[in-house]
Amino acid sequence: MYLCTQIKVNYIKFMAKELDFLTKRSEDYSRWYNELVVKADLAEQSDVRGCMVIKPYGYAIWEKMQRLLDDRFKETGVQNAYFPLLIPKSFLSREAEHVEGFAKECAVVTHYRLKTNDTHDGVVVDPAARLEEELIIRPTSETIIWNTFKNWIHSYRDLPLVVNQWCNVMRWEMRTRLFLRTSEFLWQEGHTAHATREEAEERAKMMLKVYADFAEQVMAVPVVQGVKSETERFAGALDTYTIEAMMQDGKALQSGTSHFLGQNFGRAFDVQFLNKENQAEYAWATSWGVSTRLMGALIMTHSDDNGLVLPPRLAPTQVVIIPIGGKPEQVAAVDAAVAPIMEQLKQMGISVKYDNADNRRPGFKFADYELKGVPVRLVLGARDLENGTVEVMRRDTLEKETRPLEGIAEYVRQLLDDIQQNIYQKAKTYRDAHIYECDNYDEFKARVKDGGFFLCHWDGTAETEAKIKEDTQATIRCVPFGFEQTPGVDMVSGKPSVARVLIARSY
Amino acid sequence: MYLCTQIKVNYIKFMAKELDFLTKRSEDYSRWYNELVVKADLAEQSDVRGCMVIKPYGYAIWEKMQRLLDDRFKETGVQNAYFPLLIPKSFLSREAEHVEGFAKECAVVTHYRLKTNDTHDGVVVDPAARLEEELIIRPTSETIIWNTFKNWIHSYRDLPLVVNQWCNVMRWEMRTRLFLRTSEFLWQEGHTAHATREEAEERAKMMLKVYADFAEQVMAVPVVQGVKSETERFAGALDTYTIEAMMQDGKALQSGTSHFLGQNFGRAFDVQFLNKENQAEYAWATSWGVSTRLMGALIMTHSDDNGLVLPPRLAPTQVVIIPIGGKPEQVAAVDAAVAPIMEQLKQMGISVKYDNADNRRPGFKFADYELKGVPVRLVLGARDLENGTVEVMRRDTLEKETRPLEGIAEYVRQLLDDIQQNIYQKAKTYRDAHIYECDNYDEFKARVKDGGFFLCHWDGTAETEAKIKEDTQATIRCVPFGFEQTPGVDMVSGKPSVARVLIARSY
């Protein structure tokens, strides 16, 4: 067992260095996150202020999210389309509330040409190429899409329209963090038009459920579904539905929103249709979106001090096999034993990588795949072959066990399912243990800074909401659904309250 | 046969109207294209100058292209990533030739904030929010990507880097046409870095082959592969490889390009690596892209005066089944007979739609699905059920035949393959019949305006190239590969020529 022991020593040494290398969550959660995103090769800051580069490993996870979410959208009748990146400035002012919420921090295109400078060593903006009307890089596309819908909608027969686009958007942010808040980000934005209020409200709720199911079943992130307070609504919405996830520091992360927009955009862009009674009506609207922010939720929900923990359904590589080489004939024997296992796993639709590169020591590989969150690791050496065994490590618990080689593919398949369930349960147990009912404002103020979701009675006024935010930085995340409500007394004002709301500090 | 006859009469009437509705190719090819794109619901102009809206039907085709091309990329080791939309103005000047080719017609972001105007009824650009350095919306991303690669590449072990992004880009165009030339368009851009010149050149050629195979096998569009003349090269490239397709008017459409960029960007962005001998070298580069322009190539290669003709591999709906209804019990019988056929087709991976909507007459449906290019149409009525038959129409030839219901799914599957092959062969036969060798400049000038690809000897000078363009508007598309070359005499200058080049008028 010399080889194995030596490797373990190397490994422990390396891991010690590695642990040192990644800040511990308990030391500085925020720094841990920032380091992890960069060190796990997910993303990095670019030289363009506030804009990130999503690196291949991070993008591979986002691509899986996109694909699986898109499939779920299409099952509900969503069609993808593409609308212009640039929006005429005047469009933003059409919907009064919308402009308040969005028009302010935008990238503004004013010119359409550069020219060589006088010293012929660079380029300058050509003052002759000034646009008559400035164009805004879309911060969200309600305005340009409803301006287009005007030409698509004439009769109730043209409805519903249920379209979505996957695209980039831009909101000029002063303080940015990778995935969580960046000036440019990737997202999908769904926009629908309906003949009736009921149908639109149903669609807004339906998409919230699609998001919640996706978060829980695919990302293994438990979420609270609810409806936003008026203050926290999307600019131009009558109702904003939200899913709120709890990070490991107890803060809330708004992970997806779905808006019932009423007839606001129908009116603003004059989108009228003839109903069955041949009368003109304004169309009813919804919009809904999730973004690369989901990457932040994914990372912060599951990962640990060794690095990423990924749900198997989103892991670009689900299984890594690492040989412990010795003499050439031992290496060849391991290669030969691994080939059929690879084949079986691939046939099960499992993505597997055999890392037999000889320029990295096994200990380095172990730490690297842990950092990258590969859910299952198999290690195989000459001694294992003799014994007909293989070492299996699951990333979520870091537990190792020795299993028979016979039937290992089927075992791994089940293990991946088990990991998917386990990390969801773990996150849910943590979340549930940090949801508190609280009826005393002093107690609330003392406790909320340590994180957690607080269920508190609220009198429904913007004044109370503002006071809570000012005193504690915590905000009303939503009026939660699926929670039996009884009337009570607002903890701040002492006025009557019809329901408890979810309050937390948030990202 | 009353029902059937009546339907035929309706159909003929409707088609007459429909044909009237779409300009014939022989009348005005350009107008036919513009009308078809809009009437088949593929795309439309937006209210933002030069930017298009890709409608759901058009986007569904693009999505299939993306998926199938992306699979082919990944087979060659490509990884997707995402880089910023905005590029600092100064980056563009780093590579001298690149700035000449690209910096001129760009959307320029100069400000990052709007504010409410003095009359409180609109928004204006906030002059206080002027950027220190203007940002350009990417016309292509070599500069920002090589600026990023600088941090990723240190040793030969970090190479090759083979990344790609699917994104939007913007080049300010004065005269736009849907899909063919728009200010904003969607594309993929691959960017690779290599340790050796040979490896980079090999990658550039490999991607050209991926594009050519995709065009021919998936889009059913035959292409000529070749290398561009110096004049026609990408700004900053040492070699630009191209695939050129012939449209039905005999004009060339450049459908994809792959560039060998040498060390130009490595030098411009100081991307050096330590080679195996521990010496610093600049990395070697390629880039390659195809865009929504492929939609234009697809439409113009196959479609006819009745509308779109789509290759089955890209058709969003491959088969439509239309019932000819009568009494309710007949309708129910047809519904029952169709269900298992639908099921069988779906199990074969074929996308099928049963259009039993009763608010559109069959004749209208027929014309509409022809316009949309659905490859196979099945029509089924009560009489067919009695006879155990179904009417099958293939969109490419518009041929109809009556087939036994028994085994129809398998027949359709083979028919789809046959259509895929047939439209490729048809396009190739047309293309090959319009490739001419020509050695006389007067003859060339007389004939080139009628379209076609001309294989002519060229002396290799930019002067001759410019003269041909000035005299005829035709350009040297490429030095074609896979064509046995013998030396000759330039048809314009009379000087010696080593090879024939492909000359054509183009989109």
Side-chain angles (χ1 to χ4, degrees):
Chain A
M1 293 293 285
Y2 169 73
L3 240 180
C4 273
T5 313
Q6 185 54 45
I7 284 156
K8 273 179 194 151
V9 170
N10 285 345
Y11 180 52
I12 290 159
K13 276 191 198 161
F14 185 88
M15 285 306 296
K17 197 177 146 213
E18 189 70 15
L19 289 173
D20 203 52
F21 174 72
L22 185 65
T23 297
K24 284 198 178 70
R25 286 166 295 173
S26 57
E27 282 171 20
D28 186 338
Y29 189 78
S30 174
R31 194 168 157 186
W32 163 82
Y33 173 80
N34 294 342
E35 285 182 6
L36 179 54
V37 170
V38 172
K39 289 181 178 167
D41 267 345
L42 300 174
E44 65 185 35
Q45 295 291 358
S46 76
D47 279 359
V48 185
R49 231 190 121 283
C51 295
M52 65 179 157
V53 172
I54 306 179
K55 297 184 79 174
Y57 193 63
Y59 200 84
I61 299 170
W62 173 243
E63 241 177 349
K64 282 207 158 191
M65 286 195 192
Q66 278 190 301
R67 186 74 65 103
L68 294 168
L69 201 47
D70 196 68
D71 288 346
R72 285 166 187 249
F73 289 165
K74 284 180 177 150
E75 277 170 26
T76 75
V78 173
Q79 293 186 302
N80 287 333
Y82 189 76
F83 298 87
L85 170 72
L86 299 177
I87 298 178
K89 191 188 65 178
S90 60
F91 280 23
L92 294 178
S93 328
R94 296 263 200 106
E95 213 287 327
E97 286 182 34
H98 192 68
V99 71
E100 283 306 311
F102 279 103
K104 298 309 165 62
E105 311 294 332
C106 297
V108 187
V109 176
T110 56
H111 293 74
Y112 58 84
R113 196 188 306 132
L114 299 175
K115 59 174 191 177
T116 308
N117 64 9
D118 292 342
T119 47
H120 290 274
D121 57 356
V123 280
V124 291
V125 177
D126 183 348
R130 191 177 172 85
L131 289 168
E132 269 183 51
E133 181 181 2
E134 294 89 352
L135 298 167
I136 310 304
I137 298 181
R138 61 183 163 219
T140 180
S141 302
E142 278 77 7
T143 56
I144 187 103
I145 288 180
W146 277 82
N147 184 64
T148 308
F149 278 0
K150 186 174 56 189
N151 305 317
W152 295 3
I153 298 171
H154 305 290
S155 142
Y156 70 94
R157 290 182 196 273
D158 300 321
L159 297 170
L161 264 179
V162 183
V163 302
N164 175 64
Q165 72 176 347
W166 290 95
C167 65
N168 53 344
V169 286
M170 187 156 252
R171 298 171 189 180
W172 211 265
E173 297 283 353
M174 286 300 147
R175 293 187 57 206
T176 62
R177 285 187 79 187
L178 292 168
F179 291 125
L180 296 173
R181 181 172 285 107
T182 48
S183 290
E184 184 190 16
F185 55 90
L186 303 184
W187 81 343
Q188 60 68 217
E189 48 179 323
H191 297 271
T192 71
H194 305 266
T196 66
R197 178 188 186 109
E198 294 67 37
E199 195 183 283
E201 287 192 301
E202 194 188 324
R203 171 58 70 170
K205 287 175 190 162
M206 181 198 304
M207 298 320 292
L208 188 76
K209 188 165 183 320
V210 169
Y211 290 153
D213 287 351
F214 175 80
E216 302 196 334
Q217 294 161 13
V218 177
M219 296 173 62
V221 172
V223 292
V224 174
Q225 301 176 48
V227 61
K228 288 280 181 192
S229 69
E230 195 175 337
T231 312
E232 298 281 333
R233 260 179 219 153
F234 175 77
L238 269 63
D239 263 321
T240 287
Y241 302 101
T242 181
I243 53 172
E244 302 279 330
M246 186 189 288
M247 303 299 97
Q248 291 176 67
D249 58 355
K251 282 193 191 169
L253 193 143
Q254 177 180 303
S255 304
T257 48
S258 180
H259 316 291
F260 168 58
L261 303 169
Q263 292 173 307
N264 287 349
F265 287 91
R267 242 189 305 269
F269 289 89
D270 194 28
V271 182
Q272 296 190 57
F273 68 97
L274 290 178
N275 66 18
K276 287 186 184 173
E277 290 74 39
N278 223 29
Q279 288 166 326
E281 267 191 75
Y282 289 114
W284 297 85
T286 81
S287 68
W288 25 276
V290 295
S291 72
T292 34
R293 201 161 209 239
L294 287 181
M295 292 288 291
L298 186 77
I299 297 160
M300 283 203 287
T301 300
H302 304 301
S303 301
D304 63 23
D305 294 344
N306 291 354
L308 284 181
V309 173
L310 293 175
R313 288 192 191 152
L314 292 176
T317 302
Q318 294 170 308
V319 179
V320 64
I321 306 180
I322 298 173
I324 303 292
K327 300 166 194 157
E329 65 270 22
Q330 288 174 330
V331 172
V334 171
D335 287 355
V338 167
I341 300 172
M342 297 275 291
E343 196 47 45
Q344 285 165 46
L345 289 170
K346 282 179 189 165
Q347 278 184 10
M348 290 170 174
I350 293 168
S351 59
V352 54
K353 180 178 171 180
Y354 182 43
D355 186 353
N356 61 350
D358 57 7
N359 59 353
R360 304 200 305 168
R361 286 171 297 112
F364 182 89
K365 291 181 187 176
F366 293 175
D368 191 41
Y369 291 113
E370 277 174 33
L371 179 64
K372 297 273 175 71
V374 176
V376 172
R377 181 185 80 203
L378 304 182
V379 179
L380 203 62
R383 190 65 53 96
D384 292 299
L385 281 190
E386 275 175 34
N387 299 334
T389 59
V390 57
E391 186 193 271
V392 181
M393 192 202 70
R394 52 187 291 175
R395 175 62 185 88
D396 58 339
T397 61
L398 295 168
E399 285 165 0
K400 279 186 283 194
E401 54 174 339
T402 300
R403 296 284 313 175
L405 260 178
E406 180 75 30
I408 192 65
E410 178 57 25
Y411 180 77
V412 165
R413 195 184 64 74
Q414 287 173 23
L415 183 59
L416 289 169
D417 284 347
D418 188 39
I419 294 171
Q420 181 80 32
Q421 296 311 316
N422 182 56
I423 65 172
Y424 173 75
Q425 273 311 327
K426 190 175 164 191
K428 188 164 185 302
T429 303
Y430 180 87
R431 199 265 319 257
D432 291 349
H434 294 81
I435 300 185
Y436 317 110
E437 287 199 6
C438 184
D439 293 323
N440 179 301
Y441 194 45
D442 286 333
E443 186 196 331
F444 172 84
K445 282 191 284 191
R447 292 177 60 193
V448 75
K449 62 179 180 299
D450 297 327
F453 286 1
F454 291 78
L455 288 166
C456 307
H457 275 293
W458 172 50
D459 60 16
T461 68
E463 292 70 37
T464 305
E465 192 174 9
K467 181 171 169 51
I468 295 171
K469 188 170 179 179
E470 201 190 313
D471 289 350
T472 65
Q473 295 178 285
T475 49
I476 298 179
R477 307 310 307 156
C478 63
V479 184
F481 298 152
F483 172 75
E484 204 172 325
Q485 294 278 11
T486 49
V489 174
D490 182 297
M491 66 171 176
V492 182
S493 68
K495 290 182 190 159
S497 152
V498 291
R500 290 181 186 271
V501 293
L502 189 72
I503 311 179
R505 293 171 80 169
S506 71
Y507 282 93
Chain B
M1 296 293 284
Y2 170 73
L3 241 179
C4 273
T5 313
Q6 185 54 46
I7 283 157
K8 275 182 194 150
V9 171
N10 284 346
Y11 180 51
I12 290 160
K13 276 190 198 161
F14 185 86
M15 284 307 296
K17 197 176 147 215
E18 189 71 13
L19 290 175
D20 204 51
F21 175 72
L22 186 64
T23 297
K24 284 196 178 72
R25 286 166 294 173
S26 56
E27 281 171 21
D28 186 339
Y29 190 77
S30 173
R31 193 168 158 188
W32 163 84
Y33 173 80
N34 293 343
E35 285 182 7
L36 179 53
V37 170
V38 171
K39 289 180 178 167
D41 267 345
L42 299 175
E44 64 185 35
Q45 294 291 357
S46 76
D47 278 0
V48 185
R49 230 189 122 286
C51 296
M52 66 179 156
V53 172
I54 306 180
K55 299 184 77 172
Y57 193 62
Y59 200 84
I61 299 170
W62 174 243
E63 242 177 349
K64 284 208 157 192
M65 285 195 194
Q66 279 190 301
R67 186 74 65 102
L68 294 169
L69 201 47
D70 197 66
D71 288 346
R72 284 166 188 249
F73 290 164
K74 284 179 178 149
E75 278 169 26
T76 74
V78 173
Q79 293 186 303
N80 287 331
Y82 188 76
F83 297 86
L85 170 71
L86 299 178
I87 298 178
K89 191 188 66 180
S90 60
F91 280 24
L92 293 178
S93 329
R94 296 264 201 104
E95 212 288 326
E97 285 181 34
H98 193 66
V99 71
E100 283 306 311
F102 278 103
K104 298 308 165 62
E105 311 293 332
C106 297
V108 187
V109 177
T110 56
H111 292 75
Y112 58 83
R113 197 188 305 132
L114 298 176
K115 61 174 191 176
T116 309
N117 63 10
D118 292 342
T119 47
H120 290 273
D121 57 355
V123 280
V124 290
V125 178
D126 183 347
R130 190 176 171 86
L131 290 168
E132 268 183 52
E133 181 182 1
E134 294 90 352
L135 298 167
I136 309 305
I137 297 181
R138 60 184 164 219
T140 180
S141 301
E142 276 77 7
T143 57
I144 187 102
I145 289 180
W146 277 82
N147 184 63
T148 308
F149 277 0
K150 185 174 56 190
N151 305 317
W152 295 4
I153 297 171
H154 305 290
S155 142
Y156 71 93
R157 290 182 195 274
D158 300 321
L159 296 171
L161 265 179
V162 183
V163 302
N164 174 64
Q165 72 175 348
W166 290 94
C167 66
N168 53 345
V169 286
M170 188 157 252
R171 299 171 187 180
W172 211 266
E173 296 283 355
M174 285 301 147
R175 293 187 58 206
T176 62
R177 285 187 79 187
L178 292 168
F179 292 124
L180 296 175
R181 179 172 286 107
T182 49
S183 290
E184 184 191 16
F185 57 91
L186 303 183
W187 81 343
Q188 59 68 218
E189 48 179 325
H191 297 270
T192 71
H194 305 267
T196 65
R197 178 188 185 108
E198 294 65 37
E199 196 184 283
E201 287 192 300
E202 194 188 324
R203 172 58 72 170
K205 286 176 191 162
M206 181 198 303
M207 298 320 291
L208 187 76
K209 187 165 185 320
V210 168
Y211 290 153
D213 287 351
F214 175 80
E216 301 197 335
Q217 293 161 13
V218 177
M219 296 173 62
V221 172
V223 292
V224 173
Q225 300 178 49
V227 61
K228 289 279 183 192
S229 68
E230 195 175 338
T231 314
E232 300 281 332
R233 261 180 217 153
F234 175 78
L238 269 67
D239 264 320
T240 286
Y241 301 101
T242 181
I243 52 172
E244 303 279 330
M246 186 189 288
M247 303 298 99
Q248 291 177 65
D249 59 354
K251 281 192 190 169
L253 194 142
Q254 176 179 305
S255 304
T257 48
S258 181
H259 315 291
F260 168 59
L261 303 169
Q263 292 174 307
N264 289 347
F265 286 91
R267 240 187 308 267
F269 289 89
D270 194 27
V271 183
Q272 297 190 56
F273 67 96
L274 289 178
N275 65 19
K276 287 186 185 173
E277 289 74 38
N278 224 29
Q279 288 166 326
E281 267 192 75
Y282 289 114
W284 297 85
T286 80
S287 68
W288 25 275
V290 295
S291 73
T292 34
R293 200 162 209 240
L294 286 181
M295 292 288 291
L298 186 77
I299 297 160
M300 283 203 287
T301 300
H302 304 301
S303 302
D304 62 23
D305 294 345
N306 291 354
L308 284 181
V309 173
L310 293 175
R313 289 191 191 153
L314 291 175
T317 303
Q318 295 170 305
V319 179
V320 62
I321 306 180
I322 299 173
I324 302 294
K327 301 166 194 158
E329 65 271 21
Q330 288 175 330
V331 172
V334 171
D335 287 354
V338 167
I341 299 172
M342 297 273 291
E343 196 48 45
Q344 285 167 46
L345 289 171
K346 280 179 190 166
Q347 279 185 8
M348 290 170 175
I350 294 168
S351 60
V352 53
K353 180 178 172 182
Y354 182 43
D355 185 352
N356 61 351
D358 57 7
N359 61 353
R360 303 201 306 169
R361 286 171 296 112
F364 182 89
K365 292 179 186 175
F366 292 175
D368 192 39
Y369 291 113
E370 278 174 31
L371 179 65
K372 296 274 175 68
V374 176
V376 172
R377 183 184 81 203
L378 304 182
V379 179
L380 203 61
R383 189 65 53 99
D384 291 299
L385 282 190
E386 275 174 36
N387 300 335
T389 60
V390 56
E391 185 194 271
V392 181
M393 190 201 72
R394 54 187 289 174
R395 176 63 186 89
D396 59 338
T397 60
L398 295 168
E399 285 164 359
K400 281 186 281 194
E401 55 174 337
T402 301
R403 296 284 313 174
L405 260 179
E406 180 76 30
I408 192 66
E410 178 56 26
Y411 180 77
V412 166
R413 195 184 64 73
Q414 286 173 23
L415 183 58
L416 289 169
D417 284 347
D418 188 40
I419 293 171
Q420 181 80 32
Q421 297 311 318
N422 182 56
I423 64 172
Y424 173 74
Q425 272 310 328
K426 192 176 161 190
K428 188 163 185 304
T429 303
Y430 180 86
R431 198 266 316 258
D432 291 348
H434 293 81
I435 300 186
Y436 318 109
E437 287 199 5
C438 183
D439 293 323
N440 179 301
Y441 193 44
D442 286 333
E443 185 195 332
F444 172 83
K445 283 191 283 190
R447 290 176 62 192
V448 74
K449 62 179 182 298
D450 297 327
F453 286 1
F454 291 78
L455 288 166
C456 309
H457 275 293
W458 172 49
D459 60 15
T461 68
E463 291 70 38
T464 304
E465 192 174 8
K467 180 170 169 52
I468 294 170
K469 189 171 178 180
E470 200 190 314
D471 289 349
T472 65
Q473 294 178 288
T475 49
I476 298 178
R477 307 310 305 157
C478 64
V479 184
F481 298 153
F483 172 76
E484 204 173 323
Q485 294 278 11
T486 48
V489 174
D490 182 295
M491 67 171 174
V492 182
S493 68
K495 288 180 191 162
S497 152
V498 290
R500 289 180 187 272
V501 293
L502 189 72
I503 311 179
R505 294 171 81 169
S506 71
Y507 281 92

